[in-house]
Amino acid sequence: MSARRLGGKGGRKRRALVAGFRCAAAGAMSEGRPLRLLGLHGYRQNERRFRERTGALRKALRGRAELVALSAPHPVPGGDDDKDGDDPRGWWFSGPGTFEAQEEAAAPAGLEESLSAVAAALAERGPFDGLLGFSQGAALAAMVCALRARGDPRFPVAFAILVAGFASRAPAHGHFYRQPIGLPTLHVVGDADAVIAPRLSRELAQRFVEPVVLAHPGGHFVPAAAPQKKAYLDFLDRFRPGQGRAEMLGAGAV
């Protein structure tokens, strides 16, 4: 269950870019505040439901990072019948009012509105240092990372934690993954995840320059037991001032 840094794609220039993002986030603690993470929920969830399901994580991060959840802009059709709660939301659809992570959707809908919603939250509810996404929210966060790495000023974040993430199979979204993404990321993979297969999350990790992968034995949820807590805190400590040793770690356990 240890977190391990993979040899992602990219050369010295991209690694220097990653280091620059770390320095950008270090300002949070120098300002005397915890890091702030914008939380992006999974498909058929919403801001309230995500807060409920990340209570253990928020407790584990207390004093080091604050998690602020955002609801997706799109209501999921048939939401009144949702067994998990009211007002389920989605970040984009792969078909008319539906979503399937592995579908090669010919006409995905709703992504631009969701990117605009994230940009607005970063501007109006910030400052934020990074993102934490779950499932479809992790897939969206990866796209935001790609735009940020290209210099998009709408997304001033320095890192992301991606839980049960995946790369969109829609051809229209392929441009997000054409180049290795030079933003630091922690990828959390459930070995027993029956919703987002572990291989999909690992494939997403390989799209990044220096991904750190944390595997856990559970399924489709945000884990926060002691081993995962340590991995989260070790990763976040890389973005605090005076953490030079952590910055210099090579491949292996973090």
Side-chain angles (χ1 to χ4, degrees), residues 218-235:
H220 196 64
F221 59 87
V222 181
Q228 293 93 50
K229 175 181 177 181
K230 181 180 185 305
Y232 293 135
L233 296 180
D234 285 350
F235 178 76

Side-chain angles (χ1 to χ4, degrees), residues 171-193:
H173 298 164
H175 66 94
F176 291 108
Y177 315 110
R178 286 195 186 119
Q179 295 184 350
I181 302 170
L183 207 77
T185 43
L186 173 63
H187 300 255
V188 184
V189 183
D191 289 336
D193 194 330

Side-chain angles (χ1 to χ4, degrees), residues 205-218:
Q206 292 291 345
R207 307 285 188 171
F208 287 79
V209 173
E210 288 188 345
V212 178
V213 176
L214 168 65
H216 67 94

Side-chain angles (χ1 to χ4, degrees), residues 12-232:
R12 184 176 302 174
K13 181 181 291 186
R14 292 193 179 99
R15 290 189 179 90
L17 180 62
V18 169
F21 286 124
R22 291 174 188 159
C23 293
M29 299 305 293
S30 66
E31 295 170 7
R33 64 170 177 83
L35 295 167
R36 298 188 77 231
L37 310 178
L38 182 64
L40 308 179
H41 59 75
Y43 187 69
R44 298 191 71 90
Q45 293 183 347
N46 57 35
E47 179 179 330
R48 179 184 63 81
R49 181 62 63 178
F50 193 58
R51 283 200 307 268
E52 292 173 353
R53 295 190 175 184
T54 55
L57 174 64
R58 287 185 284 109
K59 182 178 179 181
L61 300 182
R62 189 170 298 160
R64 307 280 276 279
E66 174 189 4
L67 179 60
V68 180
L70 173 69
S71 281
H74 306 297
V76 173
D80 292 341
D81 300 325
D82 188 76
K83 64 181 180 180
D84 287 331
D86 58 336
D87 194 27
R89 297 265 162 168
W91 298 105
W92 79 89
F93 300 106
S94 53
T98 65
F99 176 75
E100 169 54 51
Q102 296 193 64
E103 183 176 350
E104 296 183 5
L111 180 62
E112 287 303 320
E113 293 88 343
S114 290
L115 289 171
S116 295
V118 172
L122 292 171
E124 298 166 9
R125 300 170 64 180
F128 287 99
D129 304 288
L131 304 171
L132 188 149
F134 173 66
S135 197
Q136 194 192 42
L140 175 66
M143 297 174 183
V144 171
C145 288
L147 294 173
R148 170 57 172 150
R150 298 176 196 169
D152 193 321
R154 298 176 296 166
F155 305 108
V157 295
F159 61 88
I161 298 174
L162 309 178
V163 184
F166 57 90
S168 172
R169 297 294 202 258
H173 298 164
H175 66 94
F176 291 108
Y177 315 110
R178 286 195 186 119
Q179 295 184 350
I181 302 170
L183 207 77
T185 43
L186 173 63
H187 300 255
V188 184
V189 183
D191 289 336
D193 194 330
V195 179
I196 301 299
R199 66 175 176 81
L200 299 180
S201 295
R202 294 182 185 278
E203 287 172 5
L204 176 63
Q206 292 291 345
R207 307 285 188 171
F208 287 79
V209 173
E210 288 188 345
V212 178
V213 176
L214 168 65
H216 67 94
H220 196 64
F221 59 87
V222 181
Q228 293 93 50
K229 175 181 177 181
K230 181 180 185 305
Y232 293 135

